[in-house]
Amino acid sequence: MKVKKFITPVLMILIMIAVVFIPELNAQEKKAQQKLIPDEVKNVLVQGMESREARMDIPFSITDYYYLPASQNLYFILLFNAKNADLGYTPLAPIQTEEKQEQQAFVEKGPEVLQSRFDVFLLFNQIDGDYNKEVFIPAGFQVNQNAYDPEKEEMYSTGYILPPGKYLLGMAITQNNYQKIGTQYFEFELKDPANLGDTLEVAPVFFIDETQKMEQAETRTFVHKGFFTYSILKIKPILNNTFHSGDTCEAFFYVMGGSPDTSTQRYDYTVNYQVLKEGQEEPLIRFAEGNYTSPIIPQPLKFERTVLIQKKKGDEVIEEKQETRDLEPGQYILRLAIKDNVSGKTVTKDVVINII
């Protein structure tokens, strides 16, 4: 059985410290005077902005986005999928030196290594403001040939620190010196935590399969395969919020609009968790209430029902016991009822989950 690594209270403290001082990400600039997106790529991106029509030289799909606090702005996390065959994996050329050739003569040949190299370009246009940003990210991945499946779709991620607002993102993946260009367009919104008035908001909720601690937060923009990064964490998300009944996973979310206590400077949130069948109001699962002193909230949850079984003789209950039962496969709602105990503000957030 695989043991999942969840976020411990000590690690949460480290995250909060790192978030305050998280460095601004830098795009990989070739030269300060050069444009980050070359004209042959930018022209393609701009031409498709109005129609949102994708170019499919390199097919890929944007699947989800999250955002979390980062100093005075927000850290935008983008997930996208691409099929291995579409990223042009080719055999990795060996280093051809005389010394290397002599070494290889005495070493049994192992599995061939395949490599994909591509460039990612992001064009952020703020719809409700004047912020615009170009980002260039070179990417490369390797895989042993015996583990390579050309038809497999892999999840990739990237991220960037942005101010709040509504955005239209134009994204391009290119190869062969821009001879192959694939594009997609994506609208998203980053709510402004400082401008919510009398309401609370919850950033998109995601579920963690596994976490690893890094030595320090990244200071450059990368494309990652199978995970994303935040502060000092590598996070492998559960894609499409899809679980088996009985799974334990960790919900992770960011509550905005609350007020810290003036004397302690600590937040005070209460969260009630329920699982409901879509279209019904009677909960199938009621989790224990959670209390938190941070607006970034990780919470392990186990998706199984506890039912009370009664044995009766006439109207008299002569025996009762509790049993755990699996949820039937299907679509459910995880409902988060959140209260800020300092300001009295409340919000309810429904998250669709899938049990298989």
Side-chain angles (χ1 to χ4, degrees), residues 171-308:
M171 177 177 175
I173 297 178
T174 75
Q175 286 182 317
N176 301 339
N177 198 25
Y178 317 134
Q179 296 303 303
K180 292 178 68 176
I181 302 174
T183 64
Q184 289 288 345
Y185 299 92
F186 185 64
E187 286 191 34
F188 64 94
E189 182 176 8
L190 308 180
K191 297 281 189 180
D192 187 349
N195 194 29
L196 294 174
D198 295 329
T199 63
L200 294 179
E201 286 283 353
V202 183
V205 178
F206 57 88
F207 297 89
I208 293 175
D209 184 29
E210 192 176 341
T211 61
Q212 293 181 26
K213 179 178 174 292
M214 301 188 296
E215 290 299 317
Q216 62 184 15
E218 293 176 341
T219 57
R220 293 172 55 195
T221 312
F222 292 95
V223 172
H224 296 293
K225 181 179 178 181
F227 66 91
F228 64 85
T229 62
Y230 174 61
S231 183
I232 55 172
L233 291 181
K234 280 184 176 181
I235 298 175
K236 181 182 177 183
I238 295 175
L239 301 179
N240 305 315
N241 297 348
T242 298
F243 314 91
H244 292 92
S245 185
D247 279 357
T248 298
C249 68
E250 190 162 24
F252 196 89
F253 54 99
Y254 170 40
V255 181
M256 297 171 285
S259 304
D261 183 271
T262 54
S263 59
T264 65
Q265 293 304 305
R266 285 177 169 268
Y267 290 88
D268 183 6
Y269 290 109
T270 298
V271 184
N272 284 286
Y273 302 86
Q274 298 178 349
V275 173
L276 306 92
K277 186 65 177 175
E278 199 166 28
Q280 300 178 3
E281 289 301 315
E282 183 62 29
L284 297 173
I285 304 174
R286 298 177 193 266
F287 295 99
E289 183 177 271
N291 295 285
Y292 311 93
T293 57
S294 163
I296 302 176
I297 298 177
Q299 178 60 55
L301 300 171
K302 188 170 185 177
F303 292 110
E304 66 180 12
R305 300 178 63 190
T306 300
V307 297
L308 183 65

Side-chain angles (χ1 to χ4, degrees), residues 121-133:
F121 296 95
L122 307 175
L123 179 59
F124 293 100
N125 285 342
Q126 195 174 44
I127 297 170
D128 57 352
D130 56 5
Y131 181 90
N132 298 290
K133 186 69 178 181

Side-chain angles (χ1 to χ4, degrees), residues 56-67:
M56 304 301 287
D57 293 6
I58 303 174
F60 69 98
S61 58
I62 295 173
T63 58
D64 218 336
Y65 84 104
Y66 314 125
Y67 61 93

Side-chain angles (χ1 to χ4, degrees), residues 67-137:
Y67 61 93
L68 293 163
S71 189
Q72 301 302 309
N73 286 308
L74 296 163
Y75 183 56
F76 167 74
I77 300 158
L78 184 74
L79 305 187
F80 63 97
N81 285 357
K83 188 188 294 186
N84 285 332
D86 293 325
L87 292 181
Y89 277 89
T90 56
L92 179 64
I95 301 173
Q96 295 300 324
T97 66
E98 184 176 340
E99 180 182 2
K100 186 71 174 178
Q101 290 172 349
E102 290 176 357
Q103 290 174 354
Q104 287 177 342
F106 296 97
V107 177
E108 183 179 348
K109 188 175 181 181
E112 190 171 35
V113 176
L114 304 179
Q115 177 177 259
S116 171
R117 297 190 63 83
F118 54 92
D119 290 335
V120 173
F121 296 95
L122 307 175
L123 179 59
F124 293 100
N125 285 342
Q126 195 174 44
I127 297 170
D128 57 352
D130 56 5
Y131 181 90
N132 298 290
K133 186 69 178 181
E134 297 183 10
V135 182
F136 159 58
I137 319 165

Side-chain angles (χ1 to χ4, degrees), residues 21-41:
F21 299 103
I22 192 168
E24 291 291 328
L25 294 174
N26 294 311
Q28 281 82 343
E29 298 190 32
K30 298 174 182 176
K31 291 182 181 178
Q33 292 78 18
Q34 287 185 344
K35 296 178 181 179
L36 291 182
I37 303 181
D39 288 341
E40 50 265 65
V41 178

